[in-house]
Amino acid sequence: MARISGIDLPKEKRGEIGLTYIFGIGRSTARHILEQAHVDYDTKVKDWTDDQANEIRSLITENIKTEGELRTEVQLSIKRLMDIGCYRGQRHRKGLPVRGQRTRTNARTRKGRKKTVANKKKVTK
């Protein structure tokens, strides 16, 4: 079993897809890594030799920020935006969409479940 950056890669997946299970590595980065390590994209993770796995592991640790280190950097960037009080920071603080999406409808992922507000009663005469 290949274990890279503290993640157990799925054995039955192709190498290109298996590497994307690591936070911070997408498809294009995975292809680039496999190219540098001289491993075929279509080779399943279970078919990697120990030398290939070690080569991939060393390339990732030397060149790419992944997992905890990357998560920390992202959180610090968001905290910096909130501290300086810029528009994006205010949106993060309020839990609203940050990148200009509409909020009148949708945006339920950021805003949470609907909170129904009762309408005002009319005064009877």
Side-chain angles (χ1 to χ4, degrees), residues 12-85:
E12 297 299 322
K13 303 271 186 192
R14 292 174 32 233
E16 178 184 9
I17 303 300
L19 284 176
T20 62
Y21 279 64
I22 301 170
F23 182 77
I25 297 179
R27 291 282 291 270
S28 60
T29 310
R31 273 187 168 240
H32 186 71
I33 291 165
L34 291 173
E35 237 172 55
Q36 286 181 323
H38 306 293
V39 180
D40 188 40
Y41 312 129
D42 297 326
T43 307
K44 300 227 175 180
V45 174
K46 66 180 179 183
D47 297 332
W48 287 350
T49 63
D50 288 338
D51 293 337
Q52 289 174 329
N54 289 333
E55 178 67 24
I56 291 167
R57 192 175 294 113
S58 67
L59 282 169
I60 289 172
T61 54
E62 290 169 12
N63 303 327
I64 299 169
K65 218 177 255 191
T66 56
E67 287 301 322
E69 191 180 352
L70 181 60
R71 288 179 205 271
T72 305
E73 184 180 312
V74 169
Q75 287 302 315
L76 288 174
S77 297
I78 292 170
K79 187 179 181 319
R80 181 184 59 81
L81 291 171
M82 288 168 31
D83 289 345
I84 63 175

Coordinates of all heavy atoms in Angstrom, one line a residue, residues 12-85:
E12 N -6.7 0.3 -6.1 CA -7.3 -0.1 -7.4 C -7.4 1.1 -8.4 O -7.8 0.9 -9.5 CB -8.7 -0.7 -7.1 CG -8.6 -2.0 -6.3 CD -7.9 -3.1 -7.0 OE1 -7.9 -3.2 -8.2 OE2 -7.2 -3.8 -6.3
K13 N -7.0 2.3 -8.0 CA -7.1 3.4 -8.9 C -5.9 3.6 -9.7 O -4.8 3.2 -9.3 CB -7.4 4.7 -8.1 CG -8.6 4.7 -7.2 CD -9.8 5.2 -7.9 CE -10.9 5.3 -6.9 NZ -12.2 5.5 -7.5
R14 N -6.0 4.3 -10.8 CA -4.9 4.6 -11.7 C -4.0 5.6 -10.9 O -4.6 6.4 -10.0 CB -5.3 5.3 -13.0 CG -6.0 4.3 -13.9 CD -6.6 4.9 -15.1 NE -5.9 6.1 -15.6 CZ -6.5 7.3 -15.9 NH1 -7.7 7.4 -15.6 NH2 -5.7 8.3 -16.3
G15 N -2.7 5.7 -11.1 CA -1.8 6.6 -10.4 C -2.2 8.0 -10.4 O -2.2 8.7 -9.4
E16 N -2.7 8.5 -11.6 CA -3.1 9.9 -11.8 C -4.2 10.2 -10.9 O -4.3 11.3 -10.3 CB -3.5 10.1 -13.3 CG -4.0 11.4 -13.6 CD -4.4 11.6 -15.0 OE1 -4.6 10.5 -15.7 OE2 -4.7 12.7 -15.4
I17 N -5.2 9.3 -10.7 CA -6.4 9.6 -9.9 C -6.0 9.3 -8.4 O -6.5 10.1 -7.6 CB -7.5 8.6 -10.3 CG1 -7.9 8.8 -11.8 CG2 -8.8 8.9 -9.4 CD1 -8.3 10.2 -12.2
G18 N -5.2 8.3 -8.1 CA -4.9 8.0 -6.8 C -4.2 9.2 -6.1 O -4.4 9.4 -4.9
L19 N -3.3 9.9 -6.8 CA -2.6 11.0 -6.2 C -3.5 12.2 -5.8 O -3.2 13.0 -4.9 CB -1.5 11.5 -7.1 CG -0.2 10.6 -7.2 CD1 0.7 11.2 -8.3 CD2 0.5 10.5 -5.9
T20 N -4.6 12.3 -6.5 CA -5.6 13.4 -6.2 C -6.2 13.2 -4.8 O -6.9 14.1 -4.4 CB -6.6 13.5 -7.3 OG1 -7.4 12.4 -7.3 CG2 -6.0 13.8 -8.6
Y21 N -6.1 12.1 -4.2 CA -6.6 11.9 -2.8 C -5.8 12.7 -1.8 O -6.3 12.9 -0.7 CB -6.6 10.4 -2.5 CG -7.8 9.7 -3.0 CD1 -8.0 9.5 -4.4 CD2 -8.7 9.1 -2.2 CE1 -9.0 8.8 -4.9 CE2 -9.8 8.4 -2.7 CZ -10.0 8.3 -4.1 OH -11.0 7.6 -4.6
I22 N -4.7 13.2 -2.2 CA -3.8 14.0 -1.3 C -4.3 15.5 -1.5 O -4.4 16.0 -2.6 CB -2.3 13.9 -1.7 CG1 -1.9 12.4 -1.6 CG2 -1.5 14.8 -0.8 CD1 -0.5 12.2 -2.1
F23 N -4.6 16.1 -0.4 CA -5.0 17.5 -0.4 C -3.9 18.4 -1.0 O -2.8 18.4 -0.5 CB -5.4 18.0 1.0 CG -5.9 19.4 1.1 CD1 -7.2 19.7 0.7 CD2 -5.1 20.4 1.6 CE1 -7.7 21.0 0.8 CE2 -5.6 21.7 1.6 CZ -6.9 22.0 1.2
G24 N -4.2 19.1 -2.0 CA -3.2 20.0 -2.6 C -2.7 19.5 -3.9 O -1.9 20.1 -4.6
I25 N -3.1 18.3 -4.3 CA -2.7 17.7 -5.6 C -4.0 17.4 -6.4 O -4.8 16.6 -6.0 CB -1.9 16.4 -5.4 CG1 -0.6 16.7 -4.7 CG2 -1.6 15.8 -6.8 CD1 0.2 15.5 -4.4
G26 N -4.0 18.1 -7.6 CA -5.1 17.8 -8.5 C -4.6 17.0 -9.7 O -3.5 16.4 -9.7
R27 N -5.5 16.9 -10.8 CA -5.1 16.1 -11.9 C -3.9 16.5 -12.6 O -3.0 15.7 -12.9 CB -6.3 16.1 -12.9 CG -7.5 15.4 -12.4 CD -7.4 13.8 -12.5 NE -7.4 13.3 -13.8 CZ -8.5 13.0 -14.5 NH1 -9.7 13.1 -14.0 NH2 -8.4 12.4 -15.7
S28 N -3.7 17.8 -12.9 CA -2.6 18.3 -13.7 C -1.3 18.1 -12.8 O -0.3 17.7 -13.4 CB -2.8 19.7 -14.1 OG -2.9 20.6 -13.0
T29 N -1.3 18.4 -11.6 CA -0.2 18.2 -10.7 C 0.2 16.8 -10.6 O 1.4 16.4 -10.7 CB -0.4 18.8 -9.3 OG1 -1.0 20.1 -9.4 CG2 0.8 18.9 -8.5
A30 N -0.8 15.9 -10.5 CA -0.5 14.5 -10.4 C 0.2 14.0 -11.7 O 1.2 13.2 -11.6 CB -1.8 13.7 -10.2
R31 N -0.3 14.5 -12.8 CA 0.3 14.1 -14.1 C 1.8 14.6 -14.2 O 2.7 13.8 -14.6 CB -0.4 14.7 -15.3 CG -1.5 13.8 -15.8 CD -2.2 14.3 -17.1 NE -3.0 13.3 -17.5 CZ -2.9 12.7 -18.7 NH1 -1.9 13.1 -19.6 NH2 -3.7 11.7 -19.1
H32 N 2.0 15.8 -13.7 CA 3.3 16.4 -13.7 C 4.3 15.5 -12.8 O 5.4 15.3 -13.2 CB 3.3 17.8 -13.3 CG 4.6 18.6 -13.4 ND1 5.1 18.9 -14.6 CD2 5.4 19.0 -12.4 CE1 6.2 19.6 -14.4 NE2 6.5 19.6 -13.1
I33 N 3.8 15.2 -11.7 CA 4.6 14.4 -10.7 C 5.0 13.0 -11.4 O 6.1 12.6 -11.3 CB 3.9 14.2 -9.4 CG1 3.8 15.5 -8.7 CG2 4.6 13.1 -8.5 CD1 2.8 15.5 -7.5
L34 N 4.0 12.4 -11.9 CA 4.2 11.0 -12.5 C 5.2 11.1 -13.7 O 6.0 10.2 -13.9 CB 2.9 10.4 -12.9 CG 2.0 10.0 -11.8 CD1 0.6 9.5 -12.3 CD2 2.6 8.9 -10.9
E35 N 5.1 12.2 -14.5 CA 6.0 12.4 -15.6 C 7.4 12.5 -15.1 O 8.3 11.9 -15.6 CB 5.6 13.8 -16.3 CG 5.3 13.6 -17.8 CD 4.8 14.9 -18.3 OE1 5.4 16.0 -18.2 OE2 3.7 14.9 -18.9
Q36 N 7.6 13.3 -14.0 CA 9.0 13.5 -13.5 C 9.5 12.2 -12.9 O 10.7 12.0 -13.0 CB 9.0 14.6 -12.4 CG 8.8 16.0 -12.9 CD 8.9 17.0 -11.8 OE1 8.3 16.8 -10.7 NE2 9.5 18.1 -12.1
A37 N 8.6 11.4 -12.3 CA 9.1 10.1 -11.7 C 9.2 9.0 -12.8 O 9.5 7.9 -12.4 CB 8.1 9.7 -10.6
H38 N 8.9 9.3 -14.0 CA 8.9 8.3 -15.1 C 8.0 7.1 -14.8 O 8.4 6.0 -15.0 CB 10.3 7.8 -15.4 CG 11.3 8.9 -15.6 ND1 11.2 9.7 -16.8 CD2 12.3 9.4 -14.9 CE1 12.1 10.7 -16.7 NE2 12.8 10.5 -15.6
V39 N 6.7 7.4 -14.3 CA 5.7 6.4 -14.1 C 4.6 6.7 -15.0 O 4.2 7.8 -15.2 CB 5.2 6.5 -12.6 CG1 4.2 5.4 -12.4 CG2 6.4 6.3 -11.7
D40 N 4.0 5.6 -15.6 CA 2.9 5.8 -16.6 C 1.6 6.2 -15.8 O 1.4 5.7 -14.7 CB 2.6 4.4 -17.3 CG 1.6 4.6 -18.4 OD1 1.6 5.7 -19.1 OD2 0.7 3.7 -18.5
Y41 N 0.8 7.1 -16.3 CA -0.4 7.6 -15.7 C -1.4 6.4 -15.4 O -2.1 6.4 -14.4 CB -1.2 8.6 -16.5 CG -0.4 9.7 -17.2 CD1 -0.5 9.9 -18.5 CD2 0.5 10.5 -16.4 CE1 0.3 11.0 -19.1 CE2 1.2 11.5 -16.9 CZ 1.1 11.7 -18.3 OH 1.8 12.7 -18.8
D42 N -1.4 5.5 -16.3 CA -2.4 4.4 -16.3 C -2.0 3.3 -15.3 O -2.8 2.3 -15.1 CB -2.8 3.9 -17.7 CG -3.4 5.0 -18.5 OD1 -4.1 5.8 -18.0 OD2 -3.1 5.0 -19.7
T43 N -0.8 3.3 -14.8 CA -0.4 2.2 -13.9 C -1.1 2.3 -12.6 O -1.2 3.4 -12.0 CB 1.1 2.3 -13.6 OG1 1.8 2.3 -14.9 CG2 1.6 1.1 -12.8
K44 N -1.7 1.2 -12.2 CA -2.5 1.3 -10.9 C -1.5 1.4 -9.7 O -0.3 1.1 -9.8 CB -3.3 0.0 -10.7 CG -4.3 -0.2 -11.8 CD -5.6 -0.6 -11.3 CE -6.6 -0.7 -12.5 NZ -7.8 -1.0 -12.1
V45 N -2.0 2.0 -8.7 CA -1.2 2.3 -7.5 C -0.5 1.0 -6.9 O 0.6 1.0 -6.5 CB -2.0 3.0 -6.4 CG1 -1.2 3.2 -5.1 CG2 -2.4 4.4 -6.9
K46 N -1.3 -0.1 -6.9 CA -0.8 -1.3 -6.4 C 0.3 -1.9 -7.2 O 1.1 -2.7 -6.7 CB -1.9 -2.4 -6.3 CG -2.5 -2.8 -7.6 CD -3.6 -3.8 -7.5 CE -4.1 -4.2 -8.8 NZ -5.2 -5.2 -8.7
D47 N 0.4 -1.5 -8.5 CA 1.5 -2.0 -9.4 C 2.8 -1.2 -9.4 O 3.7 -1.5 -10.1 CB 1.0 -2.1 -10.8 CG -0.2 -3.1 -10.9 OD1 -0.2 -4.0 -10.1 OD2 -1.0 -2.9 -11.8
W48 N 2.8 -0.1 -8.6 CA 4.0 0.7 -8.5 C 5.1 -0.1 -7.7 O 4.8 -0.8 -6.7 CB 3.8 2.0 -7.7 CG 3.0 3.1 -8.3 CD1 2.6 3.1 -9.7 CD2 2.4 4.2 -7.7 NE1 1.9 4.3 -9.9 CE2 1.8 5.0 -8.7 CE3 2.5 4.7 -6.5 CZ2 1.1 6.2 -8.5 CZ3 1.8 5.9 -6.2 CH2 1.2 6.7 -7.2
T49 N 6.3 0.0 -8.2 CA 7.4 -0.7 -7.5 C 7.8 0.2 -6.3 O 7.4 1.4 -6.2 CB 8.6 -0.8 -8.4 OG1 9.1 0.5 -8.8 CG2 8.3 -1.7 -9.6
D50 N 8.5 -0.3 -5.4 CA 9.0 0.5 -4.2 C 9.8 1.7 -4.6 O 9.7 2.8 -4.0 CB 9.8 -0.4 -3.2 CG 8.9 -1.4 -2.5 OD1 7.7 -1.1 -2.4 OD2 9.4 -2.4 -2.0
D51 N 10.6 1.5 -5.6 CA 11.5 2.6 -6.1 C 10.6 3.7 -6.7 O 10.9 4.9 -6.4 CB 12.4 2.1 -7.2 CG 13.5 1.2 -6.6 OD1 13.7 1.2 -5.4 OD2 14.0 0.4 -7.4
Q52 N 9.6 3.3 -7.5 CA 8.7 4.4 -8.1 C 7.9 5.1 -7.0 O 7.8 6.3 -7.0 CB 7.7 3.7 -9.0 CG 8.3 3.2 -10.3 CD 7.3 2.4 -11.1 OE1 6.4 1.8 -10.6 NE2 7.5 2.5 -12.5
A53 N 7.4 4.4 -6.0 CA 6.7 5.0 -4.9 C 7.6 6.0 -4.1 O 7.2 7.1 -3.7 CB 6.1 3.9 -3.9
N54 N 8.8 5.5 -3.8 CA 9.8 6.4 -3.1 C 10.1 7.6 -3.9 O 10.2 8.7 -3.4 CB 11.0 5.6 -2.8 CG 10.8 4.6 -1.7 OD1 9.9 4.8 -0.9 ND2 11.6 3.5 -1.7
E55 N 10.3 7.5 -5.2 CA 10.5 8.6 -6.1 C 9.4 9.6 -6.1 O 9.6 10.8 -5.9 CB 10.8 8.1 -7.5 CG 11.1 9.2 -8.6 CD 12.4 9.9 -8.3 OE1 13.3 9.4 -7.7 OE2 12.5 11.1 -8.8
I56 N 8.2 9.1 -6.2 CA 7.0 10.0 -6.1 C 6.9 10.7 -4.8 O 6.6 11.9 -4.7 CB 5.7 9.2 -6.4 CG1 5.7 8.7 -7.9 CG2 4.5 10.0 -6.1 CD1 4.7 7.6 -8.2
R57 N 7.1 10.0 -3.7 CA 7.1 10.5 -2.4 C 8.1 11.6 -2.2 O 7.8 12.7 -1.7 CB 7.3 9.4 -1.4 CG 7.0 9.7 0.1 CD 7.2 8.6 1.0 NE 6.2 7.5 0.8 CZ 6.5 6.3 0.3 NH1 7.8 6.0 0.1 NH2 5.6 5.4 0.1
S58 N 9.3 11.4 -2.7 CA 10.3 12.4 -2.5 C 10.0 13.7 -3.4 O 10.2 14.8 -2.9 CB 11.7 11.9 -2.9 OG 11.8 11.6 -4.3
L59 N 9.5 13.5 -4.6 CA 9.1 14.6 -5.4 C 8.0 15.5 -4.7 O 8.1 16.7 -4.7 CB 8.6 14.2 -6.8 CG 9.6 13.7 -7.8 CD1 9.0 13.0 -9.0 CD2 10.4 14.9 -8.3
I60 N 7.1 14.8 -4.1 CA 6.0 15.5 -3.5 C 6.5 16.3 -2.2 O 6.2 17.5 -2.1 CB 4.8 14.6 -3.1 CG1 4.1 14.1 -4.4 CG2 3.8 15.2 -2.2 CD1 3.1 13.1 -4.2
T61 N 7.3 15.6 -1.4 CA 7.7 16.3 -0.2 C 8.7 17.5 -0.5 O 8.7 18.5 0.3 CB 8.4 15.3 0.8 OG1 9.5 14.6 0.1 CG2 7.5 14.3 1.4
E62 N 9.5 17.4 -1.5 CA 10.4 18.4 -1.8 C 9.8 19.6 -2.5 O 10.1 20.8 -2.3 CB 11.5 17.9 -2.8 CG 12.5 17.0 -2.1 CD 13.4 16.2 -3.0 OE1 13.4 16.6 -4.2 OE2 14.0 15.3 -2.6
N63 N 8.8 19.4 -3.5 CA 8.3 20.4 -4.3 C 7.0 21.0 -4.1 O 6.6 22.1 -4.5 CB 8.4 19.9 -5.8 CG 9.7 19.5 -6.2 OD1 10.7 20.0 -5.8 ND2 9.8 18.4 -7.0
I64 N 6.1 20.2 -3.3 CA 4.7 20.6 -3.3 C 4.3 20.7 -1.8 O 4.6 19.9 -1.0 CB 3.8 19.6 -4.0 CG1 4.2 19.6 -5.5 CG2 2.3 20.0 -3.9 CD1 3.6 18.4 -6.2
K65 N 3.5 21.8 -1.5 CA 2.9 22.0 -0.2 C 1.6 21.2 -0.1 O 0.8 21.4 -1.0 CB 2.7 23.4 0.0 CG 2.9 23.9 1.4 CD 2.7 25.4 1.5 CE 4.0 26.1 1.6 NZ 3.9 27.5 1.9
T66 N 1.5 20.2 0.8 CA 0.3 19.4 0.8 C -0.2 19.3 2.2 O 0.4 19.6 3.2 CB 0.6 18.0 0.3 OG1 1.6 17.4 1.0 CG2 0.9 18.0 -1.2
E67 N -1.4 18.7 2.3 CA -2.1 18.4 3.6 C -2.0 19.5 4.7 O -2.4 20.6 4.4 CB -1.5 17.0 4.1 CG -2.0 15.8 3.3 CD -3.5 15.7 3.3 OE1 -4.2 15.9 4.3 OE2 -4.0 15.3 2.2
G68 N -1.5 19.2 5.8 CA -1.6 20.1 7.0 C -0.9 21.4 6.7 O -1.5 22.5 7.1
E69 N 0.2 21.4 6.1 CA 0.9 22.6 5.8 C 0.1 23.6 4.9 O 0.0 24.8 5.2 CB 2.3 22.3 5.2 CG 3.2 23.4 5.0 CD 4.5 23.0 4.4 OE1 4.7 21.8 4.1 OE2 5.3 23.9 4.1
L70 N -0.5 23.0 3.9 CA -1.3 23.8 3.0 C -2.6 24.3 3.6 O -3.0 25.4 3.4 CB -1.7 22.9 1.7 CG -2.5 23.6 0.6 CD1 -1.8 24.8 0.1 CD2 -2.8 22.7 -0.5
R71 N -3.2 23.4 4.4 CA -4.5 23.8 5.1 C -4.2 25.0 6.1 O -5.0 25.9 6.2 CB -5.0 22.6 5.9 CG -5.6 21.5 5.1 CD -6.1 20.4 6.0 NE -6.2 19.2 5.3 CZ -7.3 18.7 4.6 NH1 -8.3 19.4 4.6 NH2 -7.2 17.5 4.0
T72 N -3.0 24.9 6.8 CA -2.7 26.0 7.7 C -2.5 27.3 6.9 O -2.9 28.4 7.3 CB -1.3 25.6 8.4 OG1 -1.5 24.4 9.0 CG2 -1.0 26.7 9.4
E73 N -1.8 27.2 5.8 CA -1.6 28.4 5.0 C -2.9 29.0 4.5 O -3.1 30.3 4.5 CB -0.7 28.1 3.7 CG -0.3 29.3 2.9 CD 0.5 28.9 1.7 OE1 1.5 28.2 1.9 OE2 0.2 29.4 0.6
V74 N -3.8 28.2 4.1 CA -5.1 28.7 3.6 C -5.9 29.4 4.7 O -6.4 30.5 4.6 CB -6.0 27.5 3.0 CG1 -7.4 28.0 2.7 CG2 -5.3 27.0 1.7
Q75 N -5.9 28.7 5.9 CA -6.6 29.3 7.1 C -5.9 30.7 7.5 O -6.6 31.6 7.8 CB -6.5 28.3 8.3 CG -7.4 27.2 8.1 CD -8.9 27.6 7.9 OE1 -9.4 28.5 8.6 NE2 -9.6 27.0 6.9
L76 N -4.6 30.7 7.4 CA -3.9 32.0 7.8 C -4.2 33.1 6.8 O -4.4 34.3 7.1 CB -2.4 31.8 7.9 CG -1.9 31.0 9.1 CD1 -0.4 30.7 9.0 CD2 -2.3 31.7 10.4
S77 N -4.4 32.7 5.5 CA -4.7 33.7 4.5 C -6.1 34.3 4.7 O -6.4 35.5 4.6 CB -4.7 33.1 3.1 OG -3.4 32.7 2.8
I78 N -7.1 33.4 5.1 CA -8.4 33.8 5.4 C -8.4 34.7 6.6 O -9.1 35.7 6.7 CB -9.4 32.6 5.5 CG1 -9.5 31.9 4.2 CG2 -10.7 33.0 6.1 CD1 -10.2 30.5 4.2
K79 N -7.7 34.3 7.6 CA -7.6 35.1 8.9 C -7.1 36.5 8.6 O -7.5 37.5 9.1 CB -6.8 34.3 9.9 CG -6.8 35.0 11.3 CD -5.9 34.2 12.2 CE -5.9 34.8 13.6 NZ -5.8 36.2 13.7
R80 N -6.0 36.5 7.7 CA -5.5 37.8 7.4 C -6.5 38.7 6.7 O -6.6 39.9 7.0 CB -4.3 37.6 6.4 CG -3.6 38.9 6.0 CD -2.5 38.6 5.0 NE -3.0 38.0 3.8 CZ -3.5 38.6 2.7 NH1 -3.7 39.9 2.8 NH2 -4.0 38.0 1.7
L81 N -7.3 38.2 5.8 CA -8.3 39.0 5.1 C -9.4 39.5 6.1 O -9.8 40.6 6.1 CB -9.1 38.1 4.1 CG -8.3 37.7 2.8 CD1 -9.1 36.7 2.0 CD2 -8.0 38.9 2.0
M82 N -9.7 38.6 7.1 CA -10.7 39.0 8.1 C -10.1 40.1 9.1 O -10.8 41.1 9.4 CB -11.1 37.8 9.0 CG -12.0 36.9 8.2 SD -12.4 35.3 8.8 CE -12.4 35.4 10.5
D83 N -8.8 40.0 9.4 CA -8.1 41.0 10.3 C -8.0 42.4 9.6 O -8.2 43.4 10.3 CB -6.7 40.5 10.7 CG -6.8 39.3 11.6 OD1 -7.9 39.1 12.2 OD2 -5.8 38.6 11.8
I84 N -7.7 42.4 8.3 CA -7.6 43.7 7.7 C -8.9 44.3 7.3 O -9.0 45.5 7.0 CB -6.6 43.7 6.4 CG1 -7.2 42.8 5.3 CG2 -5.3 43.3 6.8 CD1 -6.4 42.8 4.0
G85 N -10.0 43.5 7.5 CA -11.3 44.1 7.3 C -11.7 44.4 5.8 O -12.6 45.2 5.6

